[in-house]
Amino acid sequence: MTPATSAVARALERIERLDPALHAFIEVWPDEALAREREAVARRLPLGGLPFAVKGPSGIRSYTARRLIAAGGVPVGATSVPGPGTAWQTWGQGAHGRTVNPWRVDRTPGGSSAGSAVAVAAGMVEAATGSDGAGSVRIPAAWCGVFGLKTTNGLLPSPDRTGLASAGVLARSAAAAEPYLRRVLGGGGTPEAASDRLPPASGLPLSLPLPVVYSEDLGFAAVDPEVAAVVRAAVDRLVAAGTVRLLDRDAGLLDPAGAWTAVRGGVPDDPAAVRVRRTNDERLETLFTGGALLLTPATPNRPHGHEGPGARYSTALTWAFNLSGHPAASLPAGFTGDGCPVGLQMVAPRGADPMLLAAARAVEDALPPARTPPPAGRD
């Protein structure tokens, strides 16, 4: 393998060519990345020099990044997160300006794993790390038309003392995410122990059709009708393909906004928050009986403009599962008429991350393949 043909060299070339317009990266490490790739190949490490990006300035020190590096993954740079004074719901701040959505440069890519989603969608890297405390992996995955998974809360180490945030990975598809997630979720307790006890998601025994519950709004969210229609069409396609079967179960939850805010603010024992969490946990336990999955839109809205989200919370359909701790993923479901990607959210029982990944692979096999955005985005 020569540097000109290596996976890392190709990723670095795409970053140099595409990032000046997209602003997905805050730092790029070409020399170090090429050296890491040579070492990974020479040592025959499992990931063999596959390039990935890390979220934000501290991402290289995360548990996820350290496990990937130990397995032979190569970090090529750090991706954008919201800058100082920027509302975390809104956009990322790259080294040379505001991060833009690769499909619509006049729209946000979502946050806070903004640059990670953009880097993957534009093909600058194969995968990127993320973290998700309210939807920060799933929302940008949905709005950039890629796959993003939030792991079960507490499954992996997290610096978030509230317990709301958990590690995640973004990739072009669930299939593309599998090599990375196997290394992150498998093996023993230290990042350096890159053993691989996790069975491949593609090899897990799944009986189709998968039992699923579909909810457009979880009982409380105001969802853009066109977003709802795109996701419903994707669900109908899955039913017609024999991939899923719909269960008649109540998916109504209490609105978690106040409870999430209380926990984030350091008062998890607030009586109203405790009541909401307990009620939603009980309802979700009933919903997931027998290994059922929950399907919803990933967001209630399409990507908004860079001025901000307005009154609608983009997190309305995601942050319930940061409170409950369930693993959840967003898969590309289609596009609105104005060219904005829409995500289908899949939620699984706690600790069922490998099953969720396997189910996501089965679902994406029945949906149209992910598309690549035009080089300069869409105005």
Side-chain angles (χ1 to χ4, degrees):
M1 177 180 62
T2 64
T5 60
S6 74
V8 168
R10 291 193 298 271
L12 293 170
E13 185 279 327
R14 289 192 294 266
I15 293 170
E16 184 178 14
R17 175 165 45 89
L18 299 174
D19 199 51
L22 299 173
H23 304 153
F25 283 86
I26 56 175
E27 295 180 3
V28 183
W29 312 309
D31 294 339
E32 184 177 356
L34 290 168
R36 285 186 187 273
E37 182 184 36
R38 289 191 294 270
E39 180 183 4
V41 172
R43 294 176 57 193
R44 300 182 182 275
L45 294 175
L47 290 179
L50 282 174
F52 70 96
V54 299
K55 175 184 176 179
S58 62
I60 193 66
R61 300 190 297 274
S62 70
Y63 177 87
T64 301
R66 290 159 59 204
R67 280 198 66 86
L68 293 174
I69 293 169
V74 176
V76 296
T79 58
S80 66
V81 292
T86 305
W88 63 266
Q89 302 100 324
T90 308
W91 58 65
Q93 189 72 24
H96 303 293
R98 182 176 60 200
T99 310
V100 300
N101 191 303
W103 292 97
R104 289 280 306 258
V105 297
D106 62 331
R107 307 292 176 92
T108 175
S112 61
S113 305
S116 287
V118 173
V120 169
M124 290 187 272
V125 289
E126 300 292 329
T129 67
S131 58
D132 190 315
S136 290
V137 164
R138 290 161 288 162
I139 293 169
W143 285 354
C144 292
V146 300
F147 173 79
L149 183 143
K150 175 197 86 71
T151 56
T152 298
N153 290 48
L155 182 65
L156 300 173
S158 170
D160 180 26
R161 296 182 179 180
T162 68
L164 292 171
S166 57
V169 172
L170 298 100
R172 286 281 295 167
S173 64
E178 183 175 327
Y180 296 88
L181 283 166
R182 278 167 56 78
R183 301 297 157 179
V184 173
L185 298 175
T190 66
E192 291 70 27
S195 58
D196 187 22
R197 298 199 305 256
L198 187 74
S202 55
L204 288 178
L206 279 183
S207 179
L208 301 182
L210 302 168
V212 304
V213 179
Y214 174 66
S215 176
E216 176 183 305
D217 58 9
L218 291 178
F220 59 82
V223 179
D224 178 328
E226 191 174 356
V227 168
V230 170
V231 175
R232 182 70 216 204
V235 172
D236 290 344
R237 184 183 181 114
L238 295 173
V239 172
T243 305
V244 306
R245 61 183 175 89
L246 294 175
L247 303 178
D248 184 17
R249 294 183 184 173
D250 182 13
L253 302 179
L254 299 180
D255 188 342
W260 186 95
T261 303
V263 173
R264 188 68 170 179
V267 284
D269 54 352
D270 173 80
V274 170
R275 179 182 65 85
V276 168
R277 297 185 76 178
R278 181 182 297 120
T279 300
N280 284 352
D281 283 351
E282 291 171 352
R283 293 179 182 179
L284 288 168
E285 183 176 359
T286 300
L287 186 151
F288 289 124
T289 299
L293 297 165
L294 173 62
L295 304 182
T296 77
T299 66
N301 50 346
R302 67 193 79 197
H304 53 74
H306 293 288
E307 70 282 356
R312 176 175 282 162
Y313 281 97
S314 305
T315 55
L317 296 168
T318 52
W319 52 7
F321 309 110
N322 297 91
L323 281 169
S324 69
H326 292 84
S330 179
L331 290 80
F335 290 80
T336 57
D338 58 352
C340 293
V342 174
L344 167 67
Q345 180 173 226
M346 299 180 64
V347 189
R350 294 184 192 91
D353 301 60
M355 186 270 280
L356 176 59
L357 181 59
R361 290 200 61 172
V363 164
E364 72 183 9
D365 284 346
L367 294 175
R371 290 159 48 185
T372 301
R378 182 192 295 250
D379 292 326

